[in-house]
Amino acid sequence: MRVQGAIWETRSDWFNSVGREQRIKEYITLANQLIWQRQASFFAAAILAAVYFNPISTFAFYIVVALTELLDQSLGRHSKAWDGKDPVVGRHILKRIALNTTVSALAISVFIVNIAVQQESGGHFTPLFFLFSASLFAVMYNSQMVGILMLRLSIYSVAFLSIAFLDVLRFSPPLNSDIWLEFFTIIFVLYFIIDISAKFYVRYQERLDQMKLIKEENKRTKAALEVKRQFLATVSHELRTPLTSIMGSLDLVNHGALGEVPEKLKPVIGIAAKNGRRLADLIDDLLDLQKIEAGEMEFHFEPINVNDLINEAVESIAGYADKLHIRVTTVPCLRDYLIKGDRTRLMQVMNNLLSNALKFSEEGGVVEVRAENLGARVRISVHDEGVGIPKDAKERVFGKFTQVDSSDVRKVGGTGLGLNISKQIIQRHDATIDYVSELGVGSTFFIEFDRLRDSEDESPDIAPVAEVA
Ligand code: ADP
């Protein structure tokens, strides 16, 4: 009793070792996955043996082998419910694996030795080859659990040696005969099987260790990302508050609320206000990005009239367009089509597309905002005749903190975050954003939404051009 207890204590140590549930689960999953492959080879072997040897005993033993498969199937079902945590259930599964392995290895061995016994004399190529294949199959697919593999291989080894000794006992041949040669060859093959099973086991162990390392690395990366996220959120927040009061004070000075601003001071205050706005934009973008990535950005979806959306967006940017001497035209849909969206967030996207179109256009240029019905979809596009975007720059255009022209000669400012944020907002609308562009000719950025259905005709239409700014 004490000995049995000791065995299970050792088992229990093994059981508490890293990756034990994974080993058991992988073992059982693989055993169940390979059932047809295993059955096909057993069946082929049985047919072959039945043709050349006694078919009745061959099929009788084959049926026993096939029945042991049922044990594996029932174990597979049983272990599916195991969450990998309860060690009592785990130990029970382990015992059953050991039992199934013993029964199945014994059945296969008897099936094969029976063939060898029926052979008149030496050269037991067929049964030995069957046994070799079964051993190799076990080595390849059972290396997750070295104890179980060893159990199976020990039973096969007894079968190997029984076949090897069969003719030695039958014929008591001299040491220089073929029978002894065959005997020593079998010993060599046994050594080979044990050697490769050790190698397979070591490989499997290495794979487990690597997976453990990757998991730990993944955990550390996640923790570092969380620290970065919190740092960004705090810094952005702490910067936003004083900046708002600086900008407010500058506004008061600028509008003469504190008295006439001396001419000499005006440009300095202008520069301070401009840079303050840039900083505020950057902080807003950072806060948005952090919110979106943390899944904390709230969306309030409602039906939105696409024509209203483009008009509103163009109106809100009109002042900026005037300042740059750029004309903005709109081409609305003939009918008022609806999409489902968050008005504030879509205005943010439109604002980003429009301000990009304006800032990358030359003075005197034209920007066109168009709404189109494409049947089940609605497209809003913002077209400019500006600098254009080189080919293969899509990743940079929609990337984080990336700009196509990041050189020192860059004329226009920006954070390189706008389109990344826009893309994430658009994706939350189950919509798409993309562009076509030609360097030196211009760009068209477009967003496409599913259209909300209504009872009227759905044919595509385009309205005449209306000039807005
Ligand atoms: P930024 O704040 O730099 O404008 P965005 O994410 O909005 O950041 O845009 C990323 C980059 O894509 C821009 O820096 C610019 O190089 C390119 N880009 C965006 N829109 C246009 C456009 N209409 N014409 C030319 N280049 C554009």
Side-chain angles (χ1 to χ4, degrees):
M1 264 331 221
R2 180 70 210 119
V3 175
Q4 203 183 11
I7 292 173
W8 283 108
E9 268 162 35
T10 327
R11 284 263 168 87
S12 135
D13 287 347
W14 173 83
F15 210 79
N16 290 330
S17 69
V18 184
R20 80 237 185 245
E21 359 24 58
Q22 193 178 342
R23 287 165 195 271
I24 294 183
K25 290 242 167 198
E26 281 190 16
Y27 174 88
I28 293 174
T29 312
L30 210 58
N32 283 301
Q33 270 171 5
L34 294 171
I35 178 171
W36 293 117
Q37 198 177 331
R38 244 182 356 250
Q39 280 309 305
S41 28
F42 290 154
F43 189 66
I47 295 280
L48 195 64
V51 172
Y52 287 93
F53 306 102
N54 181 345
I56 297 173
S57 65
T58 301
F59 272 117
F61 287 126
Y62 165 72
I63 286 170
V64 178
V65 172
L67 284 178
T68 61
E69 284 293 337
L70 294 179
L71 292 177
D72 273 345
Q73 290 303 300
S74 112
L75 179 60
R77 276 193 299 277
H78 181 70
S79 68
K80 247 189 203 153
W82 181 46
D83 60 0
K85 291 197 180 86
D86 187 347
V88 179
V89 181
R91 258 181 237 124
H92 176 69
I93 291 176
L94 193 61
K95 274 186 200 170
R96 281 196 56 187
I97 291 178
L99 180 75
N100 288 8
T101 303
T102 312
V103 175
S104 135
L106 276 175
I108 291 170
S109 298
V110 171
F111 167 75
I112 292 172
V113 172
N114 172 54
I115 296 173
V117 170
Q118 291 178 54
Q119 288 180 308
E120 288 291 304
S121 62
H124 299 293
F125 177 78
T126 308
L128 286 172
F129 195 74
F130 283 172
L131 206 47
F132 179 70
S133 314
S135 308
L136 216 57
F137 197 87
V139 168
M140 282 164 68
Y141 297 113
N142 291 174
S143 50
Q144 310 87 342
M145 293 165 72
V146 71
I148 297 296
L149 176 63
M150 283 305 144
L151 177 63
R152 186 177 282 279
L153 288 185
S154 312
I155 296 171
Y156 287 165
S157 300
V158 172
F160 262 116
L161 291 173
S162 314
I163 297 174
F165 270 119
L166 197 65
D167 287 349
V168 173
L169 293 177
R170 267 183 189 163
F171 304 108
S172 310
L175 205 58
N176 62 353
S177 70
D178 281 354
I179 291 179
W180 277 108
L181 175 64
E182 191 178 301
F183 177 84
F184 291 122
T185 311
I186 291 173
I187 302 293
F188 169 74
V189 169
L190 268 181
Y191 162 76
F192 169 75
I193 290 172
I194 288 167
D195 186 48
I196 55 165
S197 61
K199 288 201 171 77
F200 263 89
Y201 179 71
V202 170
R203 289 256 170 78
Y204 181 78
Q205 191 59 44
E206 280 170 3
R207 188 168 74 83
L208 275 192
D209 289 346
Q210 272 171 3
M211 275 171 70
K212 202 178 137 210
L213 271 180
I214 292 172
K215 269 188 192 157
E216 280 168 6
E217 200 55 48
N218 199 5
K219 227 163 124 185
R220 272 199 292 274
T221 313
K222 272 191 185 152
L225 276 176
E226 178 57 20
V227 171
K228 189 201 94 180
R229 189 190 71 78
Q230 280 175 3
F231 171 77
L232 248 165
T234 314
V235 170
S236 314
H237 228 270
E238 293 309 313
L239 281 174
R240 194 74 180 91
T241 320
L243 188 65
T244 312
S245 91
I246 295 172
M247 295 289 289
S249 312
L250 277 175
D251 250 14
L252 285 178
V253 176
N254 245 343
H255 289 98
L258 306 175
E260 187 64 27
V261 185
E263 275 311 308
K264 261 169 59 187
L265 260 186
K266 273 187 183 165
V268 182
I269 292 177
I271 291 171
K274 193 173 147 205
N275 283 319
R277 254 193 314 278
R278 281 181 65 180
L279 196 53
D281 284 349
L282 172 63
I283 294 170
D284 286 347
D285 280 354
L286 283 175
L287 283 170
D288 274 351
L289 190 68
Q290 177 256 320
K291 257 199 224 158
I292 287 191
E293 290 191 340
E296 286 165 3
M297 185 176 271
E298 283 184 16
F299 287 83
H300 303 285
F301 290 101
E302 56 176 329
I304 292 175
N305 181 325
V306 175
N307 286 343
D308 287 352
L309 182 75
I310 64 170
N311 287 333
E312 210 177 305
V314 170
E315 259 168 42
S316 75
I317 204 94
Y320 185 42
D322 274 348
K323 210 166 102 188
L324 298 176
H325 304 290
I326 294 171
R327 205 155 51 93
V328 182
T329 60
T330 54
V331 185
C333 286
L334 273 181
R335 275 187 33 216
D336 286 336
Y337 290 114
L338 297 178
I339 56 170
K340 198 170 135 212
D342 179 310
R343 183 173 292 277
T344 316
R345 293 299 165 197
L346 289 184
M347 277 299 286
Q348 183 179 349
V349 173
M350 286 304 295
N351 200 38
N352 178 230
L353 297 185
L354 274 164
S355 60
N356 277 347
L358 293 172
K359 77 184 178 189
F360 292 106
S361 289
E362 295 294 330
E363 194 176 319
V366 178
V367 168
E368 182 191 88
V369 185
R370 178 184 286 262
E372 284 167 277
N373 168 30
L374 305 175
R377 309 265 287 169
V378 181
R379 172 186 283 198
I380 297 174
S381 48
V382 178
H383 171 76
D384 66 63
E385 299 164 345
V387 294
I389 301 170
K391 283 196 178 81
D392 305 323
K394 219 159 251 185
E395 248 176 64
R396 269 179 293 156
V397 167
F398 289 110
K400 274 181 216 153
F401 299 107
T402 47
Q403 296 169 323
V404 176
D405 170 17
S406 49
S407 65
D408 295 343
V409 293
R410 191 181 160 87
K411 285 188 291 184
V412 288
T415 61
L417 282 176
L419 282 173
N420 184 276
I421 295 171
S422 295
K423 188 170 181 176
Q424 301 204 50
I425 293 176
I426 290 301
Q427 280 169 346
R428 285 292 302 272
H429 282 75
D430 292 329
T432 52
I433 179 166
D434 208 346
Y435 69 85
V436 284
S437 182
E438 198 176 330
L439 214 51
V441 178
S443 314
T444 306
F445 278 79
F446 51 89
I447 44 182
E448 269 183 34
F449 301 83
D450 281 337
R451 184 161 71 73
L452 289 182
R453 301 249 145 215
D454 58 27
S455 52
E456 292 184 52
D457 175 28
E458 295 170 359
S459 61
D461 59 11
I462 296 170
V465 177
E467 204 163 290
V468 170

